[in-house]
Amino acid sequence: MASLVGSRVERKEDGRFLQGKGRYTADINIANQTYAIFVRSPHARAKIKSVDTSKALKSSGVVGVLTGKEIAEDKIGGLIAGWAIRSEDGSEMKVPANPPLAKDVANFVGEPIAVVFAETLDEAKEGAEKVKVDYKVLKAVVDPADAMKSEAIHDGVDKNLCYDWLLGDRKAVDEAFAKADKIIKVDLINNRLVPNAMEPRACVVDYNTASEEITLYTTSQNPHLSRLVMSAFGGVAPENKLRVVAPDVGGGFGSKINVYNEEIVCSWASKKIERPIKWVAERTESFLTDTHGRDHVTHAELAVTKEGKFLGFKNETIANLGAYARVFGTVTPTYLFGPCATGVYVIPAAYSNVKAVYTNTAPVDAYRGAGRPEATYTIERLVEKAAMELGIDKTEIRMKNFPTEFPFKQTLVHTVDSGDYVAGLEKAKQMADYAGFEARRKKSEVNGKLRGIGVSSYFEACGIAPSAAVMSLGCGVGLWESAEVRFNPTGQISVFTGAHSHGQSHQTTFAQIAADELGVPMENIDVVHGDTDKGTFGMGTYGSRSLTVGGIAIVNACKKIVAKGKRVAAKMLEVNEDEIEFKDGEFVALKSNKKKTIGEIAFACYLPGQRDEMKSPIPEGDEPGLIESSFFDPANFSFPAGSHICEVEIDPDTGNVKVEKYTAVDDFGRIVNPMIVEGQVHGGIAQGIGQALHENTQYDETGQLMTASYMDYTMPRADNFPEFNLGFTCTHATSNPLGVKGCGEAGAIASPPTVMNAVIDALGGQEISMPATAEKVWKACKTLKKSNAKAA
Amino acid sequence: MKTFNYHTPKDVKEASNLASTSSAFLAGGMTTIPSLKLGLATYKDIIDIKSIKKLSGIKVSGKSVTIGATTKHAEVAASKEVQKAIPALAKLAGNIGDAQVRNRGTIGGSISNNDPSACYPSACMALNAVIHTNSRKIPAEKFFTGMFETALKKGELVEAVEFQVPEKADYQKHPNPASRYAIIGVFVAKHKKEVNVAVTGAKSCVYIDKDLSKKLSSSFSSSAIEGMKVDDSEMNSDMHASSEYRANLVSLYAKKAVEAC
Ligand SMILES: Cc1cc2nc3c(=O)[nH]c(=O)nc-3n(C[C@H](O)[C@H](O)[C@H](O)COP(=O)(O)OP(=O)(O)OC[C@H]3O[C@@H](n4cnc5c(N)ncnc54)[C@H](O)[C@@H]3O)c2cc1C
């Protein structure tokens, strides 16, 4: 049987999605449900003097109104930061309380203050308008760069500083810098992004008065984790009385990792009002309250020799956490950012210092790439600038500093198990016709256009592991993944995974790997996820971990199935276990060539006997049934890497930037389904180009989000992109038996610096910030014209 | 969304009679419906004019192109007759917003709403359009009176827009990358006797740039306006574009439009 791993199997999920047959949270309705509308703060920072719900309670159809007072009385816990980060001086990070309904102060526009439940959605809206909140508006802190100089917005958080974190050795860096021929410096802003999942957040809660169980249907990337947090920290219900179901979820990109206010409030309230509750975010609520991404202000320096060898690296960053610290909010700008900022290079001395600040803006958390796009942008801008200033070819300077041996022990944290960065960059150069660029540039010039080329070489640390390591760094949970493989008596197989698919095609990829392991057709396998009542447990999907962690748990559970099958087959075929070979779904007795299919074995495991003779196929020490589970905790992260090359053409009259060519060469280890992987890369690059050229989250000085709709927030569209030219190199990961590496975030990590390097190249080295909007570029073109005129 | 009465009048008279100070006509709904949903506007009566047959359709004579009020942008864009008589108008319609908007939005809704960054008003101004309402005919320069304001009175309904066929014309637009409305739109039309350069997106309301029009009237070539600075003192400045940038785009796109004529 040909291996399914490696082939372009069509996506099992496409049929139903393309026919509108997906079943999302908003599609779920429960008899007798009420509708929830949240009353949200219109102010970025305000004291809540009083909340008057009397008029709302009398409003037609209103079933109940709850506020921060009631939730505090019921001792329902708030939202949490999942990682504890320690400052350089040894002190613990400062985390303010984040109640699900704000009681005393509101800290960002959109923060929930109260909730109204009514018989219809319109009545809930009417009711919500009648909740009177008396605010005392306070001066908002908006700009992260000024936050430490501004009034503290949270009690006990001096200077609005959550932590001042250091990784690396300042002294060693100073020594390295002293030896440098040149110091390259950049000041960067990593622009804040709104994740914009296609499906807005939603929840439907059903409290069963008989069993006292709460069922929460929700838009989550990690239902088990949601249950754990809601139970352990929220105190909403004991874990065994709380079922969390995340059905089809229309995109997450990190914004659906968190357990949000609305889920906690509706779950708690459903029990209180003894009615099911439905809440679906409107797009404005998504803009205002989904966790945002990025938002760093960075000063970084690279010490180099005149030959272009890197000696040392410094990274001083202010990271905006927004109003509160959330699940991955505190780790994203530290362990997911700092260690990765030295990139794919041998840099003997390095440090990353990050000051994380609170501001009166939406909380910032993991967003596709989480920390690693910021890291890659930092180092790749520096490297490109170094090449320019030293007059060395931008690919050559990279090659010069790539590690030559793997495992590659980096200066800060990671030991990268495998890779071949030279091969990736060489292939990218070839595919992008790097050598032919000058001719294309001249041609653009003749047409009055400026053409630039940009390169970025990246690595990514994803599939965070092992648990003991991440927990030692402050993570509140272990980051293993589990799977259960359940053979049914008739031969169909259910594969339960703790990972969650919200666009990643696990139904297909996971079925491919299980089918290969078990030697059965893919059609016999159903991948089940997203329900805490089904399967074992799971940490969910983010950080490109599903295949490298969750997929391996499936492989390991399948191996246990095969191992048991061997024992059973040996007994049934009356040979020793070591005389049985498993191949293509059959257990074959090598000497006699007698065989049993895995289906027959499963059948025998469930029906362990036969007519007229007392004889069991189950060997002594084994039990009936054929179900196996596995918890996989990898020995290390997985480290995909690659090189991307982009060419842009700029119209100096308008400042319009056109992405002319985009080449990506990635090393994702062994690839299970190239079509799905290409889709992931496409999506990632699209998001990265969005960050580089289009997406521009803007708050005004009072903390109002100016770009709170698609009329003002530019999402990239298909006509903004050229056809992506994708290639792969392959070095197997050594930290997992499949040799796979994560691929979900790479596109979004590599592309912003690639595009910006191309834009800045076209602008003759003039630095501009992301997003490189037409007007900014136009202004830079004018400056370029002036300086060219002067030079001439 | 607040509740409202929904009407589907059969003719213009009925539609007009239903109108009050708290009513809106519903054409494509591309502006009205989002305003309702976001609570920016509330109406007692929504008067859906889409089923009034008389209001939809395109008529072309030698001298003019007349487009019924509820004719959709996509229909104008795809019309062979418009493409032949005033290709610039078909092009303008074909670049409005996105496909969804073009398949619902109407010319009547566009000009009645008079969004400062809408495209059609510039065509009306440059092509000496006459707006036919149920009670009168209004020349374009009297129709667009200010930001989101027109000469329309309560209950007055746009029935059709009659454009004068020019010798040559072109429309150039710098779209807002998010909404794809015009950050700047410049409609240049060369008529027998004069040249009109109408600009949208730049100020609070569409206008004719007199200087550009005059220069081009005496010599219709891009070199005639080469290097001409456009005064930016009254221009919009917002997070999408500064007044300085807008002014640059006006002169640039005027030139591009002349070259494309
Ligand atoms: C995302 C997006 C992008 C857009 N991009 C562009 C663009 O690039 N260029 C552009 O020009 N426009 C653009 N528009 C506007 C769009 O093309 C519509 O023309 C506009 O929204 C209104 O037209 P409508 O037919 O939908 O009118 P409606 O929303 O139905 O009505 C709008 C207003 O006009 C009044 N009205 C409608 N018909 C009549 C009539 N016959 N007589 C009197 N009053 C009437 C109504 O009472 C209402 O007040 C965009 C809109 C959106 C949502």
Side-chain angles (χ1 to χ4, degrees), chain A residues 122 125-126 129 282 284 651 653-656 694 696 698 706-707 709-717 719-720 774-775 778-779 782, chain B residues 1-3 37-39 97-98 115 174-181 238-246 248-249 252-253 255-256:
Chain A
D122 284 341
K125 283 189 182 175
E126 281 293 330
E129 279 174 24
E282 294 190 347
T284 311
D651 178 347
D653 293 334
T654 58
N656 283 341
H694 308 288
N696 196 10
Q698 287 196 46
M706 312 274 285
T707 47
S709 87
Y710 295 126
M711 297 303 268
D712 296 311
Y713 187 91
T714 309
M715 287 299 283
R717 303 187 198 183
D719 64 357
N720 295 123
E775 178 164 0
W778 171 71
K779 285 195 171 132
K782 284 211 305 189
Chain B
M1 209 188 296
K2 297 270 193 275
T3 52
K37 283 175 75 174
L38 292 169
D98 48 49
D115 191 300
H174 188 82
N176 176 321
S179 71
R180 304 219 168 166
Y181 267 97
D238 53 39
M239 69 176 149
H240 298 296
S242 67
S243 53
E244 183 199 2
Y245 183 55
R246 280 193 162 89
N248 161 68
L249 292 178
L252 179 73
Y253 284 118
K255 236 176 63 193
K256 280 184 194 271

Side-chain angles (χ1 to χ4, degrees), chain A residues 711, chain B residues 23-34 43 49 55 69-70 73 92 95-98 101-102 104-113 117-121 152 156-159 173 179-182:
Chain A
M711 297 303 268
Chain B
S23 74
F25 294 121
L26 185 70
M30 290 292 92
T31 295
T32 305
I33 290 180
Y43 301 106
I49 57 171
L55 293 180
T70 58
H73 309 327
L92 173 150
N95 285 320
I96 288 177
D98 48 49
V101 167
R102 291 194 292 275
R104 290 209 69 95
T106 68
I107 188 167
S110 171
I111 65 163
S112 305
N113 193 48
S117 45
C119 301
Y120 267 129
L152 290 173
E156 192 171 5
L157 195 79
V158 173
E159 295 191 343
K173 164 179 169 182
S179 71
R180 304 219 168 166
Y181 267 97

